[in-house]
Amino acid sequence: MYNVTYKFEQKGLEPITFNNVEDGQSLLEVALINDINLHHNCGGVCACSTCHLYVEQGDTFLEELSDREEDFIDRAVNPRLNSRLGCQCVLKPGSGSIVVSLPDQSQFLGE
Ligand code: FES
């Protein structure tokens, strides 16, 4: 079980932490079932970059970055060293704390 905290670069949104999150889910799935707005234009199959997020803590609990994911991260807005695609960040069996930061989702309005 994990504690997962979502922080937001969008102004006015406070961080939210979810406790007892089960492994086997992606950070995109965890966000969506908790009504967090994280874009996912390709439906979570690693074919876009709209689920881009930054992993601030707990990256070792997530499935490893693939070459394909890296390619799409390169096309994301403002990629950084800790960039990942939320749909590819599946929680590995285990427990711990994960903290991620979501880019401002309003930047995708009008797409
Ligand atoms: S939803 Fe498209 S790559 Fe994650």
Side-chain angles (χ1 to χ4, degrees):
M1 295 284 199
Y2 289 97
N3 300 326
V4 183
T5 299
Y6 291 85
K7 295 160 111 185
F8 305 92
E9 294 191 339
Q10 195 166 338
K11 282 196 175 39
L13 297 180
E14 295 297 320
I16 309 176
T17 300
F18 302 104
N19 299 314
N20 302 321
V21 176
E22 290 189 26
D23 60 49
Q25 312 178 78
S26 71
L27 291 177
L28 172 66
E29 290 169 327
V30 175
L32 295 181
I33 59 172
N34 289 292
D35 290 328
I36 291 177
N37 180 22
L38 178 57
H39 279 73
H40 48 285
N41 288 9
C42 76
V45 296
C46 197
C48 73
S49 56
T50 56
C51 64
H52 175 217
L53 49 74
Y54 305 107
V55 179
E56 297 188 2
Q57 185 187 318
D59 60 321
T60 55
F61 301 128
L62 305 171
E63 280 187 8
E64 308 230 325
L65 180 72
S66 67
D67 290 345
R68 180 178 168 86
E69 182 181 351
E70 210 166 358
D71 283 348
F72 280 102
I73 287 172
D74 285 343
R75 301 178 214 178
V77 178
N78 197 14
R80 301 175 196 152
L81 281 177
N82 61 346
S83 287
R84 292 291 309 264
L85 297 179
C87 68
Q88 301 303 299
C89 291
V90 176
L91 306 180
K92 296 200 276 200
S95 61
S97 293
I98 297 166
V99 179
V100 298
S101 174
L102 305 191
D104 187 343
Q105 298 296 298
S106 65
Q107 69 186 321
F108 299 115
L109 288 177
E111 263 191 12

